[in-house]
Amino acid sequence: MAGHSKWANIKHKKQKEDRRRAKLFSKLSKRIAVAAREGGGDPEMNAELRMVIDKARDNNMPNENIERAIKRGTGELEGVDYESFDYEGYGPEGVALYLEITTDNRNRAASEIRHILSENGGNLGESGCVAWMFDRKGQLVLDNSNNSFDEDEVLLEALEAGAEDVKLEGEIIRILTDPKEFMSVKEELEENNFEFKDSDIVMLPNNTVDLDKSGAKKILNLMDELEEHDDVQEIYANFNIPESVLEEIENEE
């Protein structure tokens, strides 16, 4: 497992569930507000808003939170004016980083994120400096911790629905799609009683940097700090940590 997937699988062990959930809801509210402001508050007419609402519901975000965020975006409720954009750069050990940002103050966000990277052996780069190392994909995540899914059956149904690939990674199954086919694949699989743990358009690395224990500690500390920043929606990275190294680090904690 590499980069974003690796981090997604271990970050919950580093945060208490209630604190993690509150931070996630705050970030999703910002993203919903931006989507509603840019494309209108009707999810049937706004594909981006519909996708983010689905992600929020996948993560059990209360409907009243969702509705409130939509109304802030459309101006029905007073709220902060957010904007969304991407940052690219490098972490320690030459790891490529692609950050999705939603903030009410671009200058502050740039300054704070630049500081976090600098303090952890990284730096911000020019637009496009690492984007070519990632592929934009639709991703649907199934929780298979109880072995309730048969990988072959999931693969067959997903491909029939128009997915590109299915990957088994520990306790999760990831279904990958062309971004343009994401919603149609998701809807067809939901009609076949699939319930997703998470769903979104993501950036997946097309090459990876293998890390030893020292490098792994550095990048995980950086990922942790970036994750804590309120303006950082998503972090994509192209690192790979061998299971043996990850277990060694976890046993030290």
Side-chain angles (χ1 to χ4, degrees):
M1 293 182 288
H4 179 73
S5 299
K6 173 72 73 175
W7 175 243
N9 288 343
I10 67 176
K11 68 182 177 182
H12 302 325
K13 300 178 183 178
K14 301 171 71 66
Q15 298 177 345
K16 291 184 178 179
E17 182 64 20
D18 54 349
R19 183 166 172 268
R20 184 198 70 83
R21 187 174 297 276
K23 185 170 286 291
L24 175 62
F25 288 173
S26 174
K27 293 185 177 186
L28 285 169
S29 291
K30 292 181 184 179
R31 191 171 163 192
I32 290 169
V34 171
R37 186 192 70 215
E38 294 182 349
D42 182 358
E44 294 300 320
M45 303 297 291
N46 183 342
E48 175 68 18
L49 177 61
R50 185 178 178 186
M51 182 180 70
V52 184
I53 289 174
D54 282 353
K55 182 178 178 68
R57 287 175 174 159
D58 288 342
N59 286 280
N60 299 312
M61 186 171 174
N63 283 332
E64 56 264 32
N65 294 40
I66 295 172
E67 291 299 322
R68 198 158 49 240
I70 292 173
K71 289 179 179 179
R72 286 198 185 102
T74 58
E76 295 174 70
L77 288 177
E78 186 175 346
V80 177
D81 191 12
Y82 295 108
E83 60 176 324
S84 294
F85 49 88
D86 304 322
Y87 283 145
E88 300 175 44
Y90 291 92
E93 312 299 321
V95 170
L97 298 171
Y98 189 98
L99 311 178
E100 294 181 351
I101 308 297
T102 301
T103 183
D104 62 341
N105 189 321
R106 183 187 286 255
N107 291 334
R108 185 201 66 227
S111 175
E112 292 176 353
I113 291 170
R114 186 177 288 110
H115 177 73
I116 291 172
L117 289 172
S118 177
E119 289 292 300
N120 288 275
N123 62 277
L124 277 181
E126 297 294 327
S127 178
C129 69
V130 302
W132 61 274
M133 300 183 192
F134 295 84
D135 296 319
R136 189 170 175 82
K137 296 290 181 183
Q139 177 174 267
L140 304 165
V141 179
L142 294 169
D143 181 355
N144 201 34
S145 56
N146 296 322
N147 295 313
S148 52
F149 294 100
D150 178 273
E151 185 182 8
D152 291 335
E153 291 182 6
V154 173
L155 175 63
L156 180 61
E157 291 198 49
L159 293 179
E160 287 181 349
E164 292 182 344
D165 198 6
V166 174
K167 296 182 180 295
L168 178 64
E169 297 183 349
E171 296 181 345
I172 68 169
I173 297 176
R174 294 193 300 132
I175 299 171
L176 303 179
T177 78
D178 182 294
K180 295 179 181 178
E181 303 299 325
F182 172 74
M183 287 305 301
S184 64
V185 173
K186 184 175 191 290
E187 289 171 355
E188 183 166 339
L189 291 176
E190 285 177 336
E191 288 177 2
N192 292 334
N193 299 315
F194 282 76
E195 294 185 7
F196 297 106
K197 178 180 180 180
D198 193 26
S199 59
D200 208 347
I201 304 297
V202 300
M203 299 289 282
L204 300 179
N206 53 45
N207 62 72
T208 57
V209 176
D210 293 329
L211 300 178
D212 59 14
K213 181 179 173 182
S214 174
K217 282 185 172 182
K218 291 176 185 177
I219 197 66
L220 291 178
N221 285 337
L222 171 59
M223 295 287 282
D224 207 10
E225 286 199 43
L226 289 172
E227 179 78 17
E228 283 294 305
H229 197 287
D230 290 338
D231 292 342
V232 177
Q233 281 282 338
E234 295 288 351
I235 315 162
Y236 303 108
N238 70 337
F239 64 86
N240 179 67
I241 304 175
E243 292 295 338
S244 58
V245 172
L246 185 58
E247 289 174 8
E248 190 176 351
I249 293 172
E250 290 177 338
N251 288 336
E252 292 180 353
E253 297 180 354

